[in-house]
Amino acid sequence: MWSNLPLFPARASTLAGHVDALYFLLVAVTAFFTILIAALILIFAIRFRKQKHPVAKQIHGSNALELTWTIIPLGISMIFFVWGAAIYFTETRPPKDSMEVYVVAKQWMWKFEHTEGQREIDELHVPEGRDVRLIMTSQDVIHSFFVPAFRVKADVLPGRYTSTWFHATKPGRYHLFCSQYCGTAHSSMVGWVVVMTPGAYQQWASTGTDGSLASTGEKYFQQYGCSTCHRSDSQGRGPNLVGIFGKPVLLDDGRTVVADESYIRESILNPEAKVVSGFKPIMPTFQGQIDEEGLVALVAYIKGLGNGMANPPMPVNNPEKAPYPVPPKPEASQATPSAK
Amino acid sequence: MASAAITQDEKTNYLNADYGIKSWLLTTDHKRIALLYLISITMFFFLGGFFAMLIRLELLTPAGDLVTSDTYNKLFTMHGIVMVFLFLIPAVPTVLGNFLVPMMIGAKDLAFPKLNLASWYVYMLGGGWVLYAIITGGVDTGWTFYTPYSTTFSNTNVVAAAVGIFIAGFSSIFTGINFIVTIHRMRAPGLTWRRLPLFIWSNYATSVIMVLGTPVLAITLLLVAAERLFHLGIFNAQLGGDPLLFQHLFWFYSHPAVYIMILPGMGVISEVVTCFSRKRVFGYDFVALASICIAVLGFLVWAHHMFVAGISVYAAMVFSLLTFFVAIPSAVKVFNWIATMYQGSISFETPMLYAFGFIGLFTMGGMTGLFLGSLGIDVHVHDTYFVVAHFHYVMVGGMVMAYMCGLHFWWPKITGKMYPEGWAKLSALLTFVGFNLTFFPQFILGYMGMPRRYHAYPPEFQVLNVLSTAGASVLAVGYVLPMIYFVWSLRYGQDAGPNPWRAAGLEWMTSSPPPTSNFETTPVVTWEAYNYDEIDKQQEVPVAS
Ligand SMILES: [Cu+2]
Ligand SMILES: [Cu+2]
């Protein structure tokens, strides 16, 4: 395939440049010290070789020198620490209005669920120039989502959501690797991230779905009988779920938790773990009845309820802040499949 | 000093004091036990090396065509388990440490000779158990045993391998206790803490880690076995457990374990650099203190293996900061060894060449550790070949180099024979060149994004992988060669005499090989460590003949 010898990964996200800059600094400092030490060994070995320097001169040490070579490396390493931590801080905080994709990993494939309803396996299409946040979980063992061209990696764990984000800057096809060893076909748990121009992405996104992820979730919400207890008025036996997402929830033991994706997931699988204040723990567990993909759909649905709409329109982010012009009729493309 | 000098020409020594297989298997002589360990550890080293060769052969081509994926996964797992638990961790302490700790402090034996023998049997039992796990099908979890893969999903011999490691761990604990007590209680008169050879300091620090850390590994492996056998929900989220708990427990031991592997090696380097520079070590107190700092700080950095595992951002920052701290004492050691050479009278026998190799490779291993400690970079290179290259620079470039260095340095003492210097220099050179050719390309591969533990890989990674495999073949020659000439030297090597290097240290003030009781009269120490000025003033080797 590639007959040339690439020695450096493609640089295709906003983050990549920052990571590389720090990397080059580290390479430079490492080269400096390695060469310094090699040179000192060489120089001393030649100058003080037995033939030329038959009698050693004893030196016991020097506190000043010890201090120097403690403090200088410490100082330099603090630069690495602060810079590295700063990058990590950005890396782990997705920007507020990112577009979201749900990822369900299993031995040995990647399943992607777009909020618009597209589902993909081992291939993820994303637009160039937008913040994309991944909300990830595993159906079995630990996997790790790794796209070298984006310098992004995050483990995908069973039983919880982890998340990462990126902002692709260059259209192209980039390797996606599972980097946490996960069994027999670990090295085949690979795929591609396809970065498209916004126009091409829009075209891709508007074809062939049967309803948004949230609308699938709505179906489940009826099917599993959630709607019998959770109603959009306050008459249900369970709390009204409209608008809870992202808000603090008061629990009956006095704690307050923020209703994020993991909280909703836990509420479905293990309702007794955190009981909402003022309600009885009557909600049955759905452990073993709904798979991770179903859970993802339910989570997306309940998140959508945050807007006060049963079937939220496609762009989750704020149109004013979108980095590229919002496509003309997102609602139209959405309305057709969910109407049937 | 001459008061301690004795000669044993043609006299009985620990090797010919007794004959027969029983005299070896039931010995309580620390020197004989060291040899038992030497033989068993060498066997495991070559077994682990054999797995490594198969791995490198498979990676010659991008497609997974030599062995099946399952076999490949077992190969890297067993390579890791055998090398880490049965070679790297025990090697320097149980072979060189066992032989030298009593001799360097002027004692007749370790504090608990029977416990010492027991530790070898326990090691063999653990090693045998691991062999059994390998022969009856192998394990495929990686040496790290990550859950829930190991507890629920793998259908290989996880429990057997875990039990083997669990058992072998006790031999570490026994050795650790033995060293600590011996170093505290059995030093020769006059041998104060600040007169101890630095090899003793580093083995002392190592022992502390072994005694404090190994039980945590034992508990962790028991929990893995318990979850696997009885489906207790400890690590498996489906059973209500937490997979990250395993990683915390595992690395709480396994990070300090890298210092178990490297610290004794650093001790070897301090002995060798001083001897072949004919100088006192530069900054004795700082080198000794650095060992202790490493032992303590080493326990506080484990979560740097989990920066992408989903731990909190702030926890990650604390662990990153502490990781940078733990790097400093290692840097201090390197600078002190270099400064020791300054104004020395340097000669280039094989051990010194290995020591040069160690300093260079360990520097690179340590510096690349800073990449991994730096959060932003670690996210990209974690679980790639960058990490593989980094820890091989420290473990193979550092620790194995130091072990070979020490083996050549003390071989005349252990056997009474000299190895052939020319061949030995060649092997040092081959190891250095082969090592760099094997592992340097892996840094580049890692930054390009090649994940570790991949049976097959995208074709653009092939050239660097071919280089790496070529290097591994050179490296293999560098390891097989000493095997041959060491054995050869037993019969044909020149007699070494008590102190061929005119080295300081009590172990050189007795005959080679030493008598069973090490010293005929207990030495009384009136001098500082590495008194090369005094030794060189006496023209003769300080042993009357
Ligand atoms: Cu995977
Ligand atoms: Cu570590």
Side-chain angles (χ1 to χ4, degrees):
Chain A
M1 281 175 112
W2 295 33
S3 53
N4 61 339
L5 172 62
L7 292 176
F8 206 75
R11 197 182 287 162
S13 76
T14 46
L15 205 71
H18 296 284
V19 175
D20 289 350
L22 176 54
Y23 176 72
F24 288 135
L25 175 69
L26 269 153
V27 169
V29 172
T30 303
F32 172 78
F33 276 102
T34 310
I35 293 171
L36 175 77
I37 282 163
L40 286 176
I41 291 183
L42 212 68
I43 293 169
F44 291 170
I46 294 169
R47 262 189 66 190
F48 303 117
R49 65 184 189 277
K50 200 188 206 120
Q51 292 84 340
K52 206 166 156 256
H53 197 250
V55 180
K57 192 165 151 248
Q58 302 300 326
I59 306 162
H60 280 255
S62 143
N63 289 351
L65 269 179
E66 301 287 350
L67 220 61
T68 314
W69 59 51
T70 307
I71 288 174
I72 292 178
L74 192 66
I76 296 175
S77 63
M78 285 307 99
I79 302 175
F80 302 149
F81 164 67
V82 172
W83 192 347
I87 295 175
Y88 187 74
F89 204 77
T90 346
E91 239 161 18
T92 43
R93 323 246 117 174
K96 265 276 167 315
D97 39 11
S98 314
M99 141 188 179
E100 292 182 338
V101 179
Y102 291 85
V103 181
V104 177
K106 58 174 267 189
Q107 286 177 325
W108 290 278
M109 63 167 77
W110 295 100
K111 292 190 272 189
F112 299 100
E113 313 234 349
H114 294 256
T115 43
E116 308 91 278
Q118 286 79 20
R119 319 174 84 208
E120 309 185 66
I121 286 180
D122 290 345
E123 204 165 58
L124 170 63
H125 288 79
V126 291
E128 171 198 3
R130 275 190 79 177
D131 300 326
V132 179
R133 176 180 175 223
L134 303 176
I135 302 156
M136 308 185 290
T137 189
S138 163
Q139 248 167 262
D140 36 55
V141 301
I142 302 178
H143 303 275
S144 194
F145 180 92
F146 177 33
V147 182
F150 297 166
R151 314 287 186 273
V152 152
K153 178 184 293 118
D155 281 6
V156 181
L157 279 77
R160 70 179 72 172
Y161 289 125
T162 55
S163 126
T164 187
W165 74 279
F166 56 82
H167 182 113
T169 53
K170 240 200 279 176
R173 273 166 76 77
Y174 303 106
H175 279 297
L176 158 64
F177 294 126
C178 173
S179 59
Q180 181 62 271
Y181 173 67
C182 58
T184 307
H186 168 56
S187 63
S188 327
M189 193 165 159
V190 296
W192 299 96
V193 176
V194 183
V195 177
M196 308 168 91
T197 57
Y201 177 75
Q202 205 46 52
Q203 212 169 0
W204 176 85
S206 57
T207 49
T209 76
D210 37 287
S212 69
L213 188 58
S215 69
T216 312
E218 185 178 18
K219 262 180 254 156
Y220 289 136
F221 202 73
Q222 308 292 345
Q223 191 182 321
Y224 288 105
C226 316
S227 50
T228 56
C229 296
H230 296 289
R231 295 169 41 175
S232 47
D233 49 30
S234 309
Q235 307 303 311
R237 289 192 289 159
N240 179 354
L241 299 181
V242 174
I244 64 156
F245 187 78
K247 304 273 155 54
V249 177
L250 183 65
L251 303 180
D252 71 347
D253 58 6
R255 282 184 299 161
T256 309
V257 292
V258 173
D260 58 5
E261 290 94 354
S262 300
Y263 169 76
I264 295 177
R265 183 181 181 283
E266 188 187 32
S267 294
I268 301 171
L269 294 181
N270 193 7
E272 265 141 67
K274 297 191 179 100
V275 175
V276 182
S277 163
F279 289 90
K280 293 206 187 72
I282 51 165
M283 175 165 160
T285 168
F286 290 87
Q287 182 98 50
Q289 299 173 42
I290 311 178
D291 64 11
E292 291 295 347
E293 284 158 271
L295 288 168
V296 157
L298 280 168
V299 168
Y301 169 69
I302 293 170
K303 273 171 89 168
L305 292 172
N307 306 348
M309 276 172 269
N311 228 340
M314 179 218 108
V316 184
N317 60 344
N318 183 343
E320 272 94 346
K321 283 198 185 162
Y324 65 92
V326 179
K329 286 187 289 178
E331 304 223 16
S333 67
Q334 209 49 53
T336 338
S338 55
K340 58 174 179 172
Chain B
M1 200 194 326
S3 63
I6 34 169
T7 178
Q8 298 283 317
D9 275 337
E10 301 302 316
K11 270 183 70 182
T12 56
N13 58 52
Y14 80 103
L15 289 172
N16 63 17
D18 208 347
Y19 290 98
I21 190 91
K22 238 176 94 183
S23 77
W24 282 90
L25 292 181
L26 296 179
T27 181
T28 53
D29 181 349
H30 66 103
K31 300 182 287 305
R32 285 190 162 210
I33 295 171
L35 287 190
L36 293 176
Y37 264 119
L38 174 66
I39 294 164
S40 21
I41 272 165
T42 307
M43 272 165 36
F44 282 115
F45 175 73
F46 281 100
L47 180 66
F50 170 71
F51 294 139
M53 283 314 286
L54 292 178
I55 292 171
R56 283 313 329 162
L57 282 177
E58 169 63 78
L59 294 178
L60 259 180
T61 55
D65 42 16
L66 183 70
V67 294
T68 64
S69 291
D70 279 327
T71 309
Y72 182 81
N73 296 344
K74 286 177 186 169
L75 284 176
F76 71 69
T77 301
M78 295 179 309
H79 167 69
I81 290 178
V82 169
M83 284 304 202
V84 170
F85 295 109
L86 302 177
F87 176 71
L88 289 168
I89 288 178
V92 174
T94 62
V95 178
L96 298 176
N98 234 328
F99 198 95
L100 294 166
V101 166
M103 300 202 66
M104 283 185 169
I105 65 171
K108 286 188 167 43
D109 206 317
L110 284 171
F112 309 114
K114 285 181 187 153
L115 186 68
N116 195 20
L117 180 64
S119 94
W120 180 73
Y121 277 101
V122 170
Y123 168 82
M124 289 309 281
L125 184 67
W129 214 290
V130 170
L131 277 183
Y132 160 80
I134 291 174
I135 290 163
T136 56
V139 212
D140 76 340
T141 57
W143 76 276
T144 45
F145 289 94
Y146 268 25
T147 58
Y149 184 72
S150 62
T151 55
T152 314
F153 290 86
S154 169
N155 40 34
T156 54
N157 288 339
V158 179
V159 173
V163 169
I165 296 167
F166 175 85
I167 297 173
F170 281 91
S171 99
S172 270
I173 298 175
F174 291 170
T175 305
I177 292 174
N178 226 335
F179 282 7
I180 292 174
V181 176
T182 308
I183 295 168
H184 270 279
R185 307 294 306 158
M186 297 175 67
R187 282 170 286 126
L191 189 56
T192 58
W193 283 90
R194 291 182 64 189
R195 286 178 177 172
L196 285 175
L198 290 164
F199 182 79
I200 298 292
W201 273 102
S202 64
N203 272 278
Y204 183 82
T206 308
S207 304
V208 172
I209 308 177
M210 293 205 270
V211 171
L212 295 180
T214 316
V216 178
L217 176 74
I219 293 164
T220 313
L221 291 174
L222 274 192
L223 292 177
V224 167
E227 179 162 296
R228 211 176 146 83
L229 296 173
F230 311 116
H231 308 288
L232 306 179
I234 303 161
F235 305 125
N236 185 343
Q238 273 157 13
L239 304 171
D242 180 355
L244 287 191
L245 174 63
F246 172 83
Q247 295 178 25
H248 281 293
L249 291 173
F250 181 81
W251 290 114
F252 183 81
Y253 167 77
S254 294
H255 183 80
V258 309
Y259 295 116
I260 295 182
M261 303 180 220
I262 196 71
L263 271 172
M266 294 171 154
V268 170
I269 300 304
S270 297
E271 301 300 312
V272 170
V273 169
T274 47
C275 176
F276 295 100
S277 303
R278 314 305 301 167
K279 263 194 66 190
R280 289 174 190 262
V281 72
F282 191 92
Y284 175 96
D285 293 349
F286 292 90
V287 181
L289 195 67
S291 292
I292 304 298
C293 287
I294 289 174
V296 173
L297 283 172
F299 275 107
L300 304 175
V301 300
W302 74 89
H304 65 204
H305 298 268
M306 301 167 64
F307 289 157
V308 302
I311 60 172
S312 100
V313 182
Y314 299 101
M317 286 186 185
V318 171
F319 280 103
S320 167
L321 184 65
L322 290 166
T323 300
F324 284 107
F325 288 163
V326 80
I328 303 301
S330 301
V332 167
K333 286 198 182 222
V334 170
F335 287 122
N336 277 296
W337 291 322
I338 304 278
T340 302
M341 289 173 61
Y342 178 72
Q343 291 290 352
S345 174
I346 300 169
S347 57
F348 304 99
E349 284 84 353
T350 309
M352 191 60 160
L353 298 189
Y354 273 109
F356 288 160
F358 171 96
I359 297 175
L361 300 180
F362 177 73
T363 301
M364 282 192 63
M367 293 291 300
T368 50
L370 300 183
F371 290 65
L372 298 166
S374 181
L375 287 160
I377 307 266
D378 183 67
V379 169
H380 177 55
V381 293
H382 180 76
D383 272 339
T384 68
Y385 264 84
F386 192 94
V387 175
V388 176
H390 157 71
F391 70 73
H392 280 89
Y393 263 80
V394 180
M395 302 286 85
V396 184
M399 151 59 205
V400 181
M401 275 278 187
Y403 177 67
M404 295 304 284
C405 172
L407 217 51
H408 283 86
F409 187 57
W410 283 291
W411 188 255
K413 178 53 60 184
I414 295 171
T415 64
K417 300 286 184 184
M418 294 305 291
Y419 54 81
E421 186 67 28
W423 287 104
K425 281 191 167 133
L426 178 68
S427 87
L429 189 72
L430 286 177
T431 323
F432 185 78
V433 173
F435 176 85
N436 279 302
L437 192 55
T438 311
F439 293 104
F440 194 82
Q442 297 185 3
F443 282 124
I444 305 171
L445 277 174
Y447 201 76
M448 284 168 69
M450 177 165 166
R452 66 194 286 198
R453 298 172 172 176
Y454 261 34
H455 175 221
Y457 56 85
E460 66 261 33
F461 297 143
Q462 185 172 10
V463 177
L464 291 167
N465 270 295
V466 170
L467 278 182
S468 185
T469 301
S473 337
V474 179
L475 192 56
V477 179
Y479 288 139
V480 172
L481 214 54
M483 264 293 279
I484 299 171
Y485 63 69
F486 274 144
V487 173
W488 176 91
S489 76
L490 290 180
R491 207 182 155 87
Y492 304 104
Q494 280 174 14
D495 278 338
N499 191 356
W501 314 121
R502 312 198 322 114
L506 294 178
E507 78 270 28
W508 300 104
M509 296 183 185
T510 183
S511 53
S512 312
T516 302
S517 60
N518 295 345
F519 305 94
E520 297 225 313
T521 50
T522 305
V524 177
V525 181
T526 55
W527 57 90
E528 307 297 312
Y530 314 115
N531 54 338
Y532 281 103
D533 41 349
E534 289 158 31
I535 294 177
D536 284 346
K537 258 179 234 143
Q538 306 163 325
Q539 287 301 57
E540 280 300 298
V541 181
V543 170
S545 50

